[in-house]
C-alpha cells in the first residue's frame, strides 16, 4: 500500500506525466505502447503495353463461367417442338386453296380457336384463282368446306351465266361477338371462326352477282340455295331475320342428330312501275252508260218500298194528352 502511494506521488511530481492523462500502463508498468513501424505495400508490376503487331482484342462479353479444359460448353435449351399439322391442314394444299396457317386465337368469353387459316384464294380445278376479299379467318374444316363448295358447285353455276367466277365477296368471318351482336346472347359461330357471311361473287367479265338481289337470275339463286343447304349446317338469308337481308350466313355448327337450319327465301323481282290505274275495260263488257241507266231504273222502282219504313221511323213522337198521363201514373203505382 505504501509502495502504490509512493508511486502515485512520484508520478504526480513528474512534469512529463502531469501533461498527459494517466492510463493503465502507468500503474502496471511498461509505459505507453510503442507505435508499429509503417508497412509499405509491395509494388505490383504493371503489364507491358500490347504490341502493335498483336491481333485485335475481342470486344464481346466473356461468359462469367469458363468451362474447364477438355469440358464441352453446355448446350442452350432447344425451343419446344412445333405442333404437328392436323389432317385437315395436310389435306388443304395449295392445289385447293391459298390458306396459310395462322397462330391460335385465345379471346375473351370463349372466342377464338385452333387450327386456324387465312383463306386468301380458292384454286379452281383449271388452276384459276378465286380471290376472297377480304381474306377470311376460319378454322381449317370451315375453310375446306368453303373451298370445296366454290370449286364444285359455284364455278359450274357461274359458267351458265356466260363468265367465270373470279372473286368471293366476304361480308364477315371471324368476329368475337355474341349472336347477331345482341348483348347477353350466346357466342356466335363467328366468334369461333366457324362461319362465313357471303355477300356475292365477282365474274371475270366485271359483273357482280349479289345473292340477295332480286334482279339476279332466280334459277341461279335457287341453285345456290339448294347447294349451301346441302353442305352447311346453318344457312340464313332474306326473311330469316332482318340481320341477314344483305348476305348469306354459312356455318358448320353441330347440333343434336345433325339438325340443320336453312332459312333463305328467294324473292321475286319487284315491279318496275307500281300499277296506279286499273286495267283497260274489256271489250265484251256492256257500255258504262247503259249499265248506269239500268241500275238507276232499278233504284227508282225500289224507292217507294224502302221509303215507307224510313218515313215511319222519322215521324215525330205523339204529344201525350192529359188522359194518357193519368193512365201512366196509375200503372206506376
Amino acid at each position: 500500500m505504501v509502495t502504490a502511494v509512493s508511486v502515485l506521488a512520484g508520478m504526480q511530481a513528474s512534469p512529463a506525466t502531469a501533461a498527459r492523462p494517466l492510463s493503465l500502463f502507468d500503474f502496471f508498468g511498461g509505459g505507453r505502447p510503442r507505435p508499429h513501424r509503417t508497412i509499405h505495400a509491395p509494388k505490383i508490376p504493371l503489364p507491358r503495353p500490347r504490341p502493335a503487331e498483336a491481333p485485335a482484342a475481342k470486344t464481346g462479353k466473356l461468359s462469367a463461367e469458363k468451362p474447364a479444359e477438355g469440358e464441352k460448353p453446355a448446350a442452350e435449351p432447344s425451343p419446344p417442338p412445333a405442333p404437328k399439322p392436323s389432317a385437315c391442314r395436310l389435306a388443304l394444299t395449295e392445289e385447293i386453296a391459298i390458306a396459310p396457317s395462322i397462330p391460335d386465337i385465345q379471346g375473351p368469353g370463349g372466342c377464338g380457336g385452333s387450327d386456324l387459316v387465312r383463306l386468301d384464294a380458292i384454286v379452281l380445278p383449271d388452276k384459276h384463282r378465286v380471290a376472297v376479299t377480304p381474306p377470311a379467318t376460319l378454322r381449317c374444316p370451315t375453310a375446306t368446306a368453303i373451298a370445296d363448295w366454290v370449286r364444285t358447285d359455284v364455278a359450274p353455276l357461274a359458267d351458265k351465266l356466260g363468265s367465270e367466277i373470279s372473286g368471293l365477296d366476304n361480308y364477315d368471318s371471324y368476329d368475337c361477338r355474341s349472336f347477331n351482336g345482341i348483348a347477353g346472347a350466346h357466342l356466335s359461330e363467328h366468334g369461333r371462326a366457324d362461319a362465313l357471311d357471303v355477300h356475292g361473287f365477282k365474274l371475270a367479265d366485271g359483273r357482280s352477282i349479289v345473292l340477295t338481289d332480286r334482279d339476279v337470275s332466280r334459277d341461279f339463286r335457287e341453285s345456290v340455295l339448294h347447294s349451301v343447304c346441302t353442305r352447311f349446317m346453318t344457312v340464313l338469308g332474306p326473311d330469316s331475320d332482318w340481320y341477314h337481308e344483305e348476305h348469306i350466313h354459312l356455318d358448320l355448327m353441330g347440333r343434336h342428330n345433325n339438325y340443320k337450319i336453312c332459312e333463305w327465301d328467294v324473292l321475286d323481282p319487284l315491279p318496275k312501275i307500281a300499277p296506279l290505274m286499273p286495267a283497260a275495260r274489256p271489250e265484251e263488257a256492256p257500255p258504262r252508260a247503259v249499265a248506269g241507266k239500268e241500275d238507276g231504273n232499278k233504284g227508282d222502282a225500289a224507292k217507294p218500298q224502302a221509303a215507307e219504313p224510313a218515313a215511319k221511323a222519322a215521324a215525330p213522337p205523339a204529344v201525350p194528352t192529359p188522359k194518357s198521363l193519368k193512365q201512366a201514373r196509375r200503372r206506376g203505382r
Side-chain angles (χ1 to χ4, degrees), residues 59 69 89 93 113 147 158 160 227 256 293 308 321 328 330:
T59 57
E69 294 182 1
R89 175 68 270 183
T93 62
K160 295 180 180 180
S227 173
H256 184 63
K293 186 176 181 180
E308 290 183 3
T321 59
R330 290 175 182 174

Side-chain angles (χ1 to χ4, degrees), residues 4-286:
V5 171
S6 62
V7 171
L8 291 173
M11 293 180 64
Q12 291 177 356
S14 175
T17 56
R20 58 180 177 81
L22 298 177
S23 64
L24 293 177
F25 294 98
D26 296 326
F27 294 101
F28 299 101
R32 294 185 60 82
R34 295 179 180 178
H36 295 283
R37 291 182 297 176
T38 304
I39 300 175
H40 297 282
K43 293 184 179 180
I44 301 175
L46 297 175
R48 291 180 295 177
R50 188 179 185 84
E53 61 274 9
K58 296 181 180 180
T59 57
K61 294 182 179 180
L62 299 178
S63 59
E65 297 181 359
K66 295 183 179 179
E69 294 182 1
E71 183 181 354
K72 295 182 179 180
E76 296 182 0
S78 58
K84 295 182 179 180
S86 64
C88 174
R89 175 68 270 183
L90 295 175
L92 189 61
T93 62
E94 292 186 354
E95 296 181 355
I96 298 175
I98 308 300
S101 298
I102 60 176
D104 296 347
I105 299 176
Q106 301 294 334
C111 285
S114 58
D115 197 14
L116 302 177
V117 300
R118 187 185 69 242
L119 185 59
D120 294 334
I122 300 166
V123 182
L124 299 180
D126 61 357
K127 307 303 180 183
H128 179 76
R129 292 187 179 185
V130 179
V132 179
T133 308
T137 299
L138 300 167
R139 294 191 307 115
C140 182
T142 308
T144 301
I146 295 294
D148 188 55
W149 168 57
V150 173
R151 287 164 52 90
T152 307
D153 296 348
V154 179
L157 291 175
D159 293 339
K160 295 180 180 180
L161 298 178
S163 184
E164 188 177 24
I165 182 174
S166 62
L168 184 149
D169 190 1
N170 169 25
Y171 205 75
D172 192 15
S173 57
Y174 171 72
D175 186 7
C176 184
R177 59 175 174 83
S178 59
F179 182 73
N180 286 336
I182 301 174
H186 61 80
L187 182 64
S188 169
E189 289 302 297
H190 287 281
R192 298 184 175 93
D194 191 32
L196 180 70
D197 290 345
V198 181
H199 184 249
F201 304 102
K202 293 181 180 179
L203 303 182
D205 59 4
R207 286 182 293 168
S208 295
I209 307 298
V210 179
L211 295 178
T212 58
D213 187 0
R214 295 169 178 254
D215 294 331
V216 174
S217 169
R218 183 181 180 89
D219 293 338
F220 177 83
R221 289 180 291 147
E222 287 184 343
S223 299
V224 174
L225 168 65
H226 296 313
S227 173
V228 293
C229 289
T230 302
R231 292 177 173 271
F232 297 94
M233 301 301 296
T234 307
V235 178
L236 300 175
D239 284 357
S240 62
D241 53 35
W242 68 277
Y243 295 97
H244 300 88
E245 295 299 315
E246 297 181 352
H247 64 274
I248 307 301
H249 170 93
L250 309 174
D251 70 48
L252 293 177
M253 179 180 179
R255 299 184 182 87
H256 184 63
N257 292 333
N258 292 327
Y259 177 75
K260 291 186 175 183
I261 296 178
C262 183
E263 298 180 357
W264 173 13
D265 287 346
V266 178
L267 305 176
D268 292 325
L270 295 174
K272 299 297 182 181
I273 301 176
L276 301 179
M277 299 295 294
R281 188 177 182 83
E283 296 181 356
E284 60 273 12

